[in-house]
Amino acid sequence: MEGLTLSDAEQKYYSDLFSYCDIESTKKVAANGRVLELFRAAQLPNDVVLQIMELCGATRLGYFGRSQFYIALKLVAVAQSGFPLRVESINTVKDLPLPRFVASKNEQESRHAASYSSDSENQGSYSGVIPPPPGRGQVKKGSVSHDTVQPRTSADQQEPASPVVSPQQSPPTSPHTWRKHSRHPSGGNSERPLAGPGPFWSPFGEAQSGSSAGDTVWSGHSPPPPQETWVSFADTPPTSTLLTMHPASVQDQTTVRTVASATTANEIRRQSSSYDDPWKITDEQRQYYVNQFKTIQPDLNGFIPGSAAKEFFTKSKLPILELSHIWELSDFDKDGALTLDEFCAAFHLVVARKNGYDLPEKLPESLMPKLIDLEDSADVGDQPGEVGYSGSPAEAPPSKSPSMPSLNQTWPELNQSSEDTAIVHPVPIRMTPSKIHMQEMELKRTGSDHTNPTSPLLVKPSDLSEESKINSSVKFASGNTVADGYSSSDSFTSDPEQIGNNVTHQRSHSGTSPDNTAPPPPPPRPQPSHSRSSSLDMNRTFAVTTGQQQAGVVAHPPAVPPRPQPSQAPGPIVHRPVDADGLITHTSTSPQQIPEQPNFADFSQFEVFAASNVNEEQDDEAEKHPEVLPVEKASDPASSLRVAKTDSKIEEKTAASVPANVSKGTTPLAPPPKPVRRRLKSEDELRPEVDEHTQKTGVLAAVLASQPSIPRSVGKDKKAIQASIRRNKETNTVLARLNSELQQQLKDVLEERISLEVQLEQLRPFSHL
Amino acid sequence: MAVCVAVIAKENYPLYIRSIPTENELKFHYMVHTSLDVVDEKISAMGKALVDQRELYLGLLYPTEDYKVYGYVTNSKVKFVMVVDSSNTALRDNEIRSMFRKLHNSYTDVMCNPFYNPGDRIQSRAFDSMVTSMMIQVLSRAPCCRAGEALWA
């Protein structure tokens, strides 16, 4: 317990009270009994009483010793004066009127109080007159300036506080007491007790209204009126916390006050808002903020991305401009995301704003990220006007490079991906990406899906993998990009609704960034010509599944043959031309094998194919794996191309859904390779045969699956290349088969649909009856 | 040190424009508008291939009798245009560059704000204060220009 300095009158009063309570004369007063009655008589709200009891240590000790009792009484006086209850306030608040207890039981006390108060009129420098609204700080003492303990006895501080002080200062009394160290530059007059002699406390309310200043004073103390809606969008009742933060005792009067405090209160508030007091976050508040933070971001050391924060704070229904300003203030390091401290600061500002406090121009020191927990920041905004601007500008994050520093979080991924893609970019198509494919497929299977397709062209196989259904094809649409371009999204799904669901489902997936705040995927870019810059779209950042995918994502320069996998970047790059050649030759050979694929040069189909492939893969692959192997001719060319494509496509597709499909690896790359594929496979790939799609997917899946591991450096070895070619062909055939099966399914579905429609038509007239 | 600072969006509409001698605002707006043509010309002159190497700072766009107009383009085709008083000879290219850099940084800070929708007018107070600081410098550093203007006015 801090040393308690009591004035003479107080001393007398307190000892009387103590003896009154100490019935047994044991020098200890139990918490119950008279003491409770006494406190209740103080007309303080229960929680305040509890707080007082806690502060004075009685709860700790279990009883009220003399010192505790005195401290408690002092705190009662403090509370009644409207100051926040703090341990230090017992000494720092000057000229506190005697605590007033009004219960009938305490008549004697009140009498005492009255007597005392009259005696102590001079004590405090309260302007002696009761009614003079507390606000009259003017009379009061002037300035306390700060600091810590000013012996109460030095009552004569009442230097006529400048009138200026009063309105501003009355609110600051709280800040003054808030801070342990007083220093309050702002609060000069914090001491001023809110005038009003004890006994007349109850009429205080009226007196208050009598003087607007007083109201403002009060309002200064307590956050603007009833805090029930402290956080309108929050469910928890911060109100209580906020209330307790300020002199809760004021509650009673608050209502009265609030009525009158309208405008003046605002002014005062405005001024007081510049002080730390309103910006100080209490523990309850902080806990509440932390909990809210956790709902968005479980990791307390992590960030809340901007968009999530935006949604969250938008719920508070503050105007966007203000939210924008709050963001500016609270995002200390200007990275577009909020850490826990920043979030608490922002939340606190929102709460304050909702309660009517104006936003400061600069972030108050108490809200600065590192300083939130400090009670006193060195130079807390003393100035009456603005709060601590001190640190903020200086600490403003170092100038960022113009290139979007805010996207810090996403940049690294992006960079990685771009690097990967860059590397992979030139990679020639892999002949036998078996290993890589396998890996990719594994990855995909395991659900590294989100990252797949960074580029719009990439279908998001990841999602697909989750869905074994064909619907996945729809997803690709999510890829939006691809799907749009290729529009075959709905073809295969046997289930129209599924498709739709999938699409949406997929979309969400594809859109998600690692943090779930992925910016909306860039609009689909049907063009194959994926320039490098275009590869930098956000999708990519999400698609961080593996470098492999990234590779695929990267814009494939038209000339680049489809990359089997990004992972093959290093090797493949070199071999790409080789591969391309191989592929080309391969494709050329494929026609032989697949006489029926005449339209290899059909690029449009290629896209369709790709899309369908993607779709197919998902479901087909799963089923068709085993069957894929027996590649059909038709699929062959496709497969050959596909291999190359597949790499990309497979990645896409495989990833997509094929649970067990190895082809996953290619899925991510699917879209990007498209353009590339065109070149290489002009004939095969385009094989638009939709029929083959199913087969193909199956083939692909199978092929991919069958390829145990595609050595990266295959290209180096001719034999290896040929082997890989063979494998790819097989894959192609499998996929082609898959494709055809899917096509078949599609046809069935369409037929069903037609029949349903017919039925509908028939029934329609009946329905009208 | 600018007498007028403007931020122009990619579609060539202003996101932010502010000038110091407020009575001549329209004139500055007009100057900025016409300077956009020069900006576009400079951009296209660089060619697409150089987009990565293109320097963001465009330099002096065109000088008039009283003023000089400097330009700066970001990679997202957002243009910053600054009009500086001609009589302020103390201004060097480096200083102009640094001013543009500051502008760019503040602009990215504005962009980072999730509540800011790209394409909206910039209403950020931080941005305003930064621009004000730039403009005020002008006044403080070039008192002569004020006098000069008074003469002309």
Side-chain angles (χ1 to χ4, degrees):
Chain A
M1 272 331 135
E2 288 85 335
L4 185 61
T5 50
L6 299 175
S7 62
D8 293 345
E10 283 181 331
Q11 189 80 17
K12 264 193 291 182
Y13 188 24
Y14 289 178
S15 56
D16 282 355
L17 285 176
F18 188 80
S19 32
Y20 169 73
C21 289
D22 189 7
I23 337 179
E24 294 96 5
S25 301
T26 58
K27 296 293 188 250
K28 289 197 288 203
V29 177
N32 45 4
R34 297 248 168 132
V35 175
L36 267 188
E37 291 168 338
L38 192 68
F39 286 152
R40 254 187 241 112
Q43 289 180 327
L44 296 174
N46 279 349
D47 46 350
V48 174
V49 172
L50 286 173
Q51 202 176 355
I52 290 176
M53 286 179 47
E54 197 180 341
L55 281 175
C56 74
T59 40
R60 250 186 301 126
L61 295 173
Y63 63 88
F64 280 100
R66 186 172 281 269
S67 55
Q68 281 87 30
F69 188 72
Y70 286 2
I71 290 173
L73 289 175
K74 192 75 181 282
L75 287 173
V76 167
V78 167
Q80 283 178 340
S81 310
F83 294 109
L85 285 182
R86 296 293 247 192
V87 182
E88 62 276 18
S89 57
I90 52 179
N91 283 328
T92 54
V93 177
K94 292 197 204 228
D95 298 328
L96 199 59
L98 292 176
R100 174 166 147 65
F101 302 99
V102 290
S104 58
K105 168 177 246 252
N106 302 343
E107 284 161 358
Q108 29 189 327
E109 278 83 10
S110 50
R111 269 183 276 116
H112 282 299
S115 61
Y116 286 129
S117 58
S118 52
D119 295 346
S120 56
E121 281 287 334
N122 39 358
Q123 285 183 324
S125 32
Y126 9 93
S127 33
V129 186
I130 299 157
R136 352 318 144 116
Q138 292 108 23
V139 186
K140 299 259 177 123
K141 6 209 31 268
S143 70
V144 202
S145 58
H146 0 270
D147 299 300
T148 44
V149 180
Q150 293 185 351
R152 227 132 130 58
T153 47
S154 59
D156 312 86
Q157 304 168 342
Q158 343 185 264
E159 5 299 350
S162 54
V164 176
V165 172
S166 136
Q168 286 174 348
Q169 303 191 348
S170 38
T173 50
S174 311
H176 178 84
T177 54
W178 279 111
R179 302 198 175 258
K180 285 213 176 150
H181 327 230
S182 39
R183 105 151 162 170
H184 267 255
S186 51
N189 59 3
S190 36
E191 314 306 286
R192 231 176 355 91
L194 297 190
F200 301 88
W201 217 244
S202 45
F204 184 69
E206 293 94 23
Q208 289 273 354
S209 32
S211 80
S212 58
D215 286 343
T216 54
V217 171
W218 282 109
S219 49
H221 282 291
S222 50
Q227 328 298 4
E228 284 70 30
T229 57
W230 182 53
V231 178
S232 56
F233 56 101
D235 306 330
T236 56
T239 51
S240 56
T241 59
L242 199 62
L243 282 173
T244 52
M245 159 165 116
H246 297 269
S249 57
V250 175
Q251 277 179 22
D252 300 343
Q253 294 106 346
T254 315
T255 49
V256 176
R257 232 173 293 121
T258 52
V259 172
S261 59
T263 54
T264 51
N266 284 335
E267 292 158 4
I268 295 297
R269 265 187 246 125
R270 211 167 286 119
Q271 290 162 345
S272 59
S273 66
S274 62
Y275 298 110
D276 282 359
D277 181 37
W279 305 124
K280 183 124 179 51
I281 299 184
T282 63
D283 288 340
E284 302 96 336
Q285 288 178 319
R286 181 144 181 102
Q287 194 49 47
Y288 176 70
Y289 299 152
V290 171
N291 291 341
Q292 290 293 310
F293 183 90
K294 282 192 197 143
T295 62
I296 306 178
Q297 162 70 282
D299 175 20
L300 289 185
N301 289 328
F303 293 92
I304 289 187
S307 45
K310 173 178 178 174
E311 287 169 25
F312 183 77
F313 287 114
T314 307
K315 287 191 257 171
S316 72
K317 312 230 185 354
L318 284 181
I320 294 286
L321 187 57
E322 298 192 8
L323 288 173
S324 173
H325 187 60
I326 287 176
W327 176 277
E328 269 180 21
L329 290 176
S330 58
D331 186 7
F332 203 63
D333 47 5
K334 300 274 182 286
D335 59 355
L338 296 179
T339 61
L340 180 60
D341 285 343
E342 291 172 347
F343 177 82
C344 291
F347 209 136
H348 198 65
L349 287 169
V350 168
V351 165
R353 186 78 192 104
K354 287 203 79 69
N355 288 320
Y357 282 103
D358 281 343
L359 294 179
E361 285 302 316
K362 307 285 189 278
L363 189 68
E365 290 228 1
S366 60
L367 293 183
M368 287 196 183
K370 313 178 250 312
L371 308 178
I372 273 188
D373 293 324
L374 294 184
E375 283 198 33
D376 246 351
S377 333
D379 22 358
V380 144
D382 315 28
Q383 318 100 12
E386 289 306 7
V387 186
Y389 168 68
S390 53
S392 40
E395 294 161 9
S399 61
K400 307 180 182 185
S401 65
S403 57
M404 306 297 251
S406 59
L407 296 179
N408 286 344
Q409 293 100 13
T410 53
W411 274 109
E413 298 155 5
L414 196 59
N415 291 336
Q416 293 163 10
S417 59
S418 56
E419 283 163 14
D420 289 343
T421 53
I423 294 177
V424 179
H425 203 67
V427 175
I429 291 236
R430 278 231 73 354
M431 309 302 291
T432 55
S434 53
K435 184 178 239 166
I436 295 168
H437 282 300
M438 299 297 292
Q439 292 168 0
E440 288 177 355
M441 289 188 267
E442 301 275 352
L443 284 169
K444 297 220 178 122
R445 212 170 304 134
T446 51
S448 52
D449 323 316
H450 299 283
T451 59
N452 271 356
T454 51
S455 73
L457 290 185
L458 287 184
V459 181
K460 313 250 176 148
S462 54
D463 300 332
L464 299 177
S465 54
E466 297 163 2
E467 325 188 351
S468 45
K469 338 183 218 188
I470 302 181
N471 307 332
S472 52
S473 58
V474 179
K475 297 194 263 193
F476 284 132
S478 61
N480 318 335
T481 58
V482 179
D484 299 346
Y486 307 114
S487 71
S488 50
S489 46
D490 49 6
S491 49
F492 305 91
T493 56
S494 45
D495 198 347
E497 312 131 289
Q498 277 180 338
I499 295 176
N501 296 341
N502 289 337
V503 176
T504 49
H505 179 57
Q506 296 302 342
R507 273 182 198 231
S508 58
H509 277 277
S510 50
T512 51
S513 57
D515 324 341
N516 289 337
T517 55
R525 295 200 211 170
Q527 292 29 0
S529 57
H530 216 8
S531 64
R532 180 164 309 180
S533 58
S534 60
S535 65
L536 291 183
D537 57 34
M538 297 317 286
N539 281 339
R540 228 179 252 221
T541 57
F542 307 141
V544 188
T545 47
T546 54
Q548 310 163 359
Q549 289 152 355
Q550 313 286 338
V553 177
V554 174
H556 305 270
V560 180
R563 282 187 279 281
Q565 283 99 7
S567 55
Q568 302 166 2
I573 297 175
V574 176
H575 303 295
R576 182 167 274 200
V578 178
D579 288 346
D581 295 345
L583 283 169
I584 291 172
T585 53
H586 195 60
T587 56
S588 57
T589 55
S590 58
Q592 310 158 9
Q593 304 156 5
I594 307 173
E596 24 198 277
Q597 326 256 337
N599 40 3
F600 51 75
D602 189 340
F603 287 90
S604 60
Q605 291 172 332
F606 175 80
E607 293 182 345
V608 171
F609 174 81
S612 60
N613 276 347
V614 175
N615 304 331
E616 302 166 332
E617 294 200 30
Q618 293 136 20
D619 40 281
D620 289 348
E621 291 183 339
E623 323 159 358
K624 310 231 175 158
H625 267 356
E627 311 155 346
V628 173
L629 290 176
V631 178
E632 298 168 0
K633 308 189 283 234
S635 56
D636 206 1
S639 48
S640 57
L641 284 173
R642 219 107 355 141
V643 174
K645 247 194 321 199
T646 344
D647 296 330
S648 47
K649 278 203 207 162
I650 288 179
E651 288 152 1
E652 297 169 358
K653 303 184 233 188
T654 51
S657 53
V658 182
N661 296 346
V662 287
S663 51
K664 287 202 180 89
T666 54
T667 33
L669 293 180
K674 291 207 178 84
V676 180
R677 294 205 214 129
R678 282 204 196 160
R679 294 230 188 167
L680 290 186
K681 311 184 171 175
S682 54
E683 57 257 5
D684 300 351
E685 35 192 70
L686 303 187
R687 223 184 283 194
E689 307 60 18
V690 178
D691 315 340
E692 308 216 298
H693 288 303
T694 52
Q695 298 166 2
K696 292 172 189 171
T697 52
V699 172
L700 280 173
V703 173
L704 290 174
S706 58
Q707 295 167 355
S709 56
I710 301 172
R712 291 229 181 126
S713 56
V714 164
K716 300 183 182 141
D717 188 0
K718 195 149 202 186
K719 272 191 204 164
I721 292 173
Q722 285 166 359
S724 62
I725 290 175
R726 232 173 294 120
R727 276 195 292 274
N728 287 337
K729 282 192 188 169
E730 290 169 7
T731 310
N732 279 347
T733 51
V734 168
L735 288 171
R737 178 185 303 180
L738 200 64
N739 185 15
S740 55
E741 288 181 14
L742 284 171
Q743 291 293 327
Q744 189 58 39
Q745 287 182 25
L746 173 66
K747 285 180 192 152
D748 295 341
V749 171
L750 288 174
E751 281 172 5
E752 280 178 30
R753 181 183 160 200
I754 291 170
S755 65
L756 284 170
E757 282 179 0
V758 166
Q759 283 181 21
L760 180 65
E761 284 297 324
Q762 289 168 359
L763 293 170
R764 188 165 295 159
F766 297 111
S767 63
H768 288 310
L769 293 180
Chain B
M1 286 151 256
V3 293
C4 172
V5 170
V7 178
I8 317 286
K10 184 166 131 178
E11 293 83 11
N12 287 337
Y13 62 86
L15 296 175
Y16 180 88
I17 181 161
R18 187 142 153 247
S19 45
I20 279 275
T22 47
E23 63 275 3
N24 264 347
E25 237 175 21
L26 199 57
K27 180 177 88 177
F28 289 122
H29 289 205
Y30 182 71
M31 283 174 76
V32 168
H33 187 74
T34 54
S35 67
L36 290 180
D37 280 337
V38 185
V39 171
D40 282 341
E41 190 189 326
K42 285 201 186 258
I43 294 177
S44 60
M46 302 234 186
K48 259 200 164 167
L50 299 177
V51 77
D52 283 344
Q53 301 145 16
R54 176 168 55 81
E55 191 179 308
L56 305 180
Y57 175 69
L58 299 175
L60 181 67
L61 297 178
Y62 71 93
T64 60
E65 188 179 341
D66 296 330
Y67 300 102
K68 296 201 197 95
V69 183
Y70 291 90
Y72 182 99
V73 181
T74 68
N75 282 325
S76 52
K77 299 284 187 291
V78 172
K79 306 161 188 75
F80 299 109
V81 176
M82 192 185 317
V83 180
V84 173
D85 203 298
S86 281
S87 52
N88 195 347
T89 52
L91 272 185
R92 278 189 298 273
D93 200 52
N94 278 344
E95 290 162 8
I96 305 279
R97 280 176 196 263
S98 72
M99 283 159 70
F100 274 125
R101 204 170 308 123
K102 276 200 299 185
L103 260 178
H104 198 164
N105 288 340
S106 301
Y107 176 72
T108 43
D109 288 345
V110 168
M111 277 294 164
C112 291
N113 190 330
F115 298 101
Y116 172 77
N117 300 315
D120 290 351
R121 294 192 52 101
I122 295 178
Q123 284 155 321
S124 147
R125 297 186 215 177
F127 192 85
D128 275 345
S129 59
M130 192 276 308
V131 170
T132 311
S133 71
M134 276 182 15
M135 291 185 160
I136 289 183
Q137 283 179 44
V138 177
L139 296 181
S140 62
R141 282 178 53 154
C144 58
C145 66
R146 291 277 75 97
E149 282 198 4
L151 279 181
W152 291 108

